Amino acid sequence: MPLPFSTLSAVTEADLIAACQRGEPRAQRLLYERLAGLMLTVCRRYLKRREDAEEALLLGFAQMFRALPTYRGEGSFEGWVRRIMVNRALMELRRKEPLTLSFDDFAQPENLATAPATADTQLQADDLLALLAELPPGYRTVFNLYALEGYGHQEIAELLGISEGTSKSQLSKARALLQRRVGQAAAVAY
Amino acid sequence: MLPENIDDLFRDGLDGHATPPDPALWARLAEATDAAGAPPAAEDARLDELFRAGLAAHATPPGRHLWERLEDEHLRPPRRRRAAAWWPQALAAALALLLVAGGAGLLWRYAAGSRPGPEVAARAGAPGLRSAATAQSAAGPLRPNKTGETTRQNAVAPAAAGGPKDALATAAAPATAAPQVAQAATSQAPPRTARAAKTASLAAAENIFSRRATRSVVPASSGSSATKRAAVSTSVAAQPGPARSGAPDPLAPAPRGAKLPDAGALAVAPAPVAAPASAVAVIEVEVRRGSAAPAPVAAVAAADAFSDDDDRPVGRRVLGGLLRQARHVVRGERVSLAEATGLPENLTLQANLGSRTLTHTIRF
C-alpha cells in the first residue's frame, strides 16, 4: 500500500524503508531528503572538490536504492548508508586523486611541526572540512577512517590495500599536520 | 699470553663498565621522537573529538539537480526519461498540428459552404462567397440587385432544385425578405401579401419541409440583427406579413422569368389568410455574429465591415491568420482561433420554437 501523502513527514524510518523497498518514488525522494545532507558531508570529508563529492553521493544513493531490498534491518540504517557512501567516496577518490602517490609526500619536518589544538578551539564545520581538504589524500583518508569512522588499522589496511604500519604512520602524520593547522586557524579566528 | 687469557682480560675489564652519555644526545633523541609524529595521547583524542563533534551532525545541502539526476539516470527507466524530456516539444507540436488541422477544416467547410447552398451562401461578406453568389445569379433566372442578391439566390435555389417538396415558406419572421420570397415564388400576382399568406398556408397544410435563408438587409424591416437566417418549418406559420409587405419591395424586383415547378400549385391552393398562432409550430433558427443581439444597423454595419475590411482571398487571409497564431504560440502569447480563421469570435444560435426561445453562444 503506498504511503499516504499527508503522513510522509511523520512516517517512521521502518515504513520509509519498506516503501523504498517496494520502489515507491515518493518514499525514495523522502529518504533522499532525509539523508542527502549528512551523506554529502561524509563524501566531502574524503573528496577535495564538491563536484566530486556530489558525484559520489549520487552514485552512492543509486547503489543504496539498488541494495535496499537486501537490507535486513540489522544495525543502524544510517550507519549502513554511511558505509555505502564511504566506499563510494573512496572509489571516487581513487579515480580523482590517486591515493598511493601521496602516501610518502608531505613528510617534511616543517610540515610536521606541531602546535597543539586547544580544547576550546571553535571552528565551524566548513573550516574543518577545509582543513581536511588541504591534507594529502593518504593522510585525509586514514584520518577520516580511523578518527571519524572508527575503523581499525587492520580494516583500513585491507580497505586501502596498504600495510598496517603505513596506516599508523599516515594517521600519525595527519594528526601532526592537523594539530598545527588547527592551531593556526584558531589563532586567525581569534 | 694464551688466547684464553686475552678473553678473560677484556671480559673482566669491560663487563659492568658504564659510559656516561652526552647530555645533548638526550635532547636530540627527544627531538627525533617528536618528529616521528607521536604526540601525547590526550592531544590525539582532543583533535579527533574536535573533528568528530564538528562534522558528525553537519549536513551539506545538496544541489537541486542532484535528485533529478538520480531519478533520471538511476531510479527511473529510460523510457520515462525520454518522455519527460520530450513531452513539452511533443505537446507544442500536437497543438500546432491541431491548430493547422482545425484551420484547414474550417477553411474547407468555409469553402464548401460558399458553393450553392441555402445556408452558407447567405453569409455576407467573404469575397469567395460573393463570387459564388454572383456565379449562381448569372446562371439562375433572377437578376438580383446589389443588396438583395444573396437572399434571392438562396430563396430560389432550393425551390428550383428540390422539387415539389421544397417549397418556399414565409415563416414567422417579421418582415425581412419573406414577402420578397413569396413574390419570387408566385411571381406575377398583384396582392403580394395575400399571395404570401396563401403560399404559407399551403405549405402548412401539406406539411412541407421548407427552408429559407435570408439576410436582413434593411434594418427597419427586421426584428433581429441576423446576418444569416435559416428558418426551418415543419408546419409553417401563417403569420401575415409585416407592415412592409403590403408595399412594393424596392429591393426585390419581380423575377419575370422565374418559373418554379410548383409555383402554380402554391398559388391556387386554397388556404386561410391567417392562421391562429396557437395552431402552428415554427422552428426558426438564427445565427448571429457576436454574443448578444445587436442593433440591426450595427449588425449590418459589422457584416459589411467584415466583408470589406480585407479584400484578400479567403485562403490567403486564413493562411496569414494561421501564421500569426503560430507566431503567438512561439512567443507564448494567447492564441485565437477566430483570428486565425477570420471567423467571428462568437456566434449566437437562437432558435425560436413557438413562444420559446433557445439561445446558445459559440466561442471560437
Side-chain angles (χ1 to χ4, degrees):
Chain A
M1 179 180 176
L3 288 174
F5 188 79
S6 58
T7 61
L8 276 181
S9 58
V11 68
T12 64
E13 185 179 85
D15 292 340
L16 191 59
I17 293 169
C20 288
Q21 286 173 335
R22 292 192 299 268
E24 291 183 22
R26 285 185 303 147
Q28 289 175 336
R29 176 69 185 266
L30 186 58
L31 186 62
Y32 169 84
E33 288 175 351
R34 284 190 180 182
L35 294 177
L38 288 173
M39 297 306 145
L40 184 56
T41 296
V42 170
C43 294
R44 285 182 66 194
R45 287 189 348 227
Y46 290 88
L47 291 156
K48 198 170 184 177
R49 298 171 62 234
R50 183 183 169 116
E51 294 80 14
D52 297 339
E54 288 188 341
E55 189 69 19
L57 179 79
L58 185 75
L59 297 174
F61 263 104
Q63 181 181 347
M64 184 269 289
F65 280 125
R66 280 197 301 272
L68 200 54
T70 65
Y71 176 67
R72 299 296 172 216
E74 298 165 355
S76 161
F77 178 71
E78 185 183 322
W80 182 72
V81 177
R82 183 186 291 265
R83 279 195 295 277
I84 292 176
M85 293 297 164
V86 168
N87 285 330
R88 181 54 64 174
L90 291 176
M91 291 175 68
E92 197 69 16
L93 184 67
R94 287 192 187 97
R95 282 204 309 133
K96 304 288 181 180
E97 303 172 61
L99 201 60
T100 53
L101 295 182
S102 64
F103 270 110
D104 292 328
D105 63 3
F106 238 79
Q108 308 303 319
E110 62 271 20
N111 289 327
L112 300 178
T114 57
T118 59
D120 57 347
T121 299
Q122 297 293 322
L123 292 176
Q124 301 300 316
D126 285 336
D127 301 327
L128 297 175
L129 287 172
L131 288 174
L132 284 176
E134 290 173 3
L135 286 179
Y139 291 11
R140 189 194 319 144
T141 304
V142 172
F143 180 79
N144 267 315
L145 290 172
Y146 187 90
L148 303 184
E149 307 290 353
Y151 286 74
H153 283 296
Q154 186 178 355
E155 291 175 288
I156 295 172
E158 291 174 0
L159 197 60
L160 301 180
I162 58 176
S163 68
E164 283 190 53
T166 304
S167 174
K168 291 177 183 174
S169 167
Q170 296 286 305
L171 176 66
S172 160
K173 292 172 182 174
R175 277 177 171 157
L177 194 56
L178 282 175
Q179 289 278 5
R180 177 172 174 259
R181 291 186 176 175
V182 165
Q184 290 174 348
V188 170
Y190 290 110
Chain B
M1 185 180 287
L2 293 175
E4 293 81 11
N5 296 336
I6 294 175
D7 289 352
D8 291 339
L9 175 64
F10 276 88
R11 186 179 299 116
D12 293 341
L14 296 178
D15 194 15
H17 179 266
T19 306
D22 187 357
L25 184 62
W26 176 247
R28 287 174 56 200
L29 180 63
E31 186 179 346
T33 304
D34 287 343
E43 287 185 5
D44 288 350
R46 199 175 301 145
L47 183 73
D48 293 357
E49 183 60 28
L50 174 67
F51 278 86
R52 197 178 296 124
L55 297 176
H58 181 258
T60 304
R64 288 182 185 176
H65 64 284
L66 267 185
W67 169 253
E68 295 168 5
R69 279 189 60 200
L70 177 65
E71 197 174 33
D72 288 347
E73 296 175 11
H74 299 282
L75 300 182
R76 303 288 168 258
R79 202 183 324 163
R80 183 193 177 281
R81 188 169 76 241
R82 277 198 296 274
W86 284 99
W87 79 262
Q89 291 90 332
L91 185 62
L95 277 177
L97 191 62
L98 200 63
L99 192 64
V100 170
L106 282 174
L107 178 63
W108 180 80
R109 289 184 58 190
Y110 203 54
S114 66
R115 296 192 192 104
E119 291 91 355
V120 186
R123 181 186 179 82
L129 299 180
R130 192 181 301 159
S131 65
T134 307
Q136 186 184 10
S137 66
L142 289 178
R143 207 61 176 166
N145 63 15
K146 197 165 187 176
T147 53
E149 56 182 8
T150 315
T151 298
R152 281 182 292 282
Q153 281 301 318
N154 292 312
V156 173
K165 291 293 180 186
D166 223 359
L168 294 174
T170 57
T176 69
Q180 305 165 21
V181 174
Q183 282 177 2
T186 57
S187 70
Q188 290 130 356
R192 294 178 179 177
T193 307
R195 195 168 301 274
K198 282 181 182 177
T199 306
S201 306
L202 182 61
E206 296 178 356
N207 197 13
I208 293 175
F209 180 82
S210 305
R211 180 182 299 175
R212 178 174 60 96
T214 184
R215 173 187 174 194
S216 73
V217 177
V218 183
S221 68
S222 174
S224 72
S225 63
T227 59
K228 183 174 86 171
R229 168 174 300 188
V232 179
S233 304
T234 54
S235 137
V236 181
Q239 191 167 346
R244 259 188 81 245
S245 62
D249 189 356
L251 298 176
R256 298 272 182 258
K259 273 291 182 182
L260 299 179
D262 52 352
L266 292 175
V268 297
V273 172
S278 61
V280 299
V282 179
I283 301 175
E284 186 177 358
V285 180
E286 295 183 21
V287 181
R288 286 195 204 98
R289 188 191 311 273
S291 57
V297 176
V300 172
D304 290 342
F306 179 70
S307 63
D308 296 337
D309 274 351
D310 197 347
D311 289 334
R312 289 180 295 170
V314 178
R316 287 187 60 188
R317 197 171 62 223
V318 172
L319 182 62
L322 287 174
L323 291 175
R324 229 178 359 261
Q325 297 315 305
R327 193 171 64 231
H328 288 180
V329 170
V330 171
R331 293 179 178 173
E333 298 172 355
R334 180 176 170 270
V335 177
S336 168
L337 186 61
E339 190 182 345
T341 58
L343 292 174
E345 288 196 356
N346 297 326
L347 279 183
T348 302
L349 297 174
Q350 180 172 329
N352 296 322
L353 175 61
S355 59
R356 294 187 59 189
T357 300
L358 302 173
T359 306
H360 184 67
T361 302
I362 301 173
R363 293 177 62 87
F364 288 101

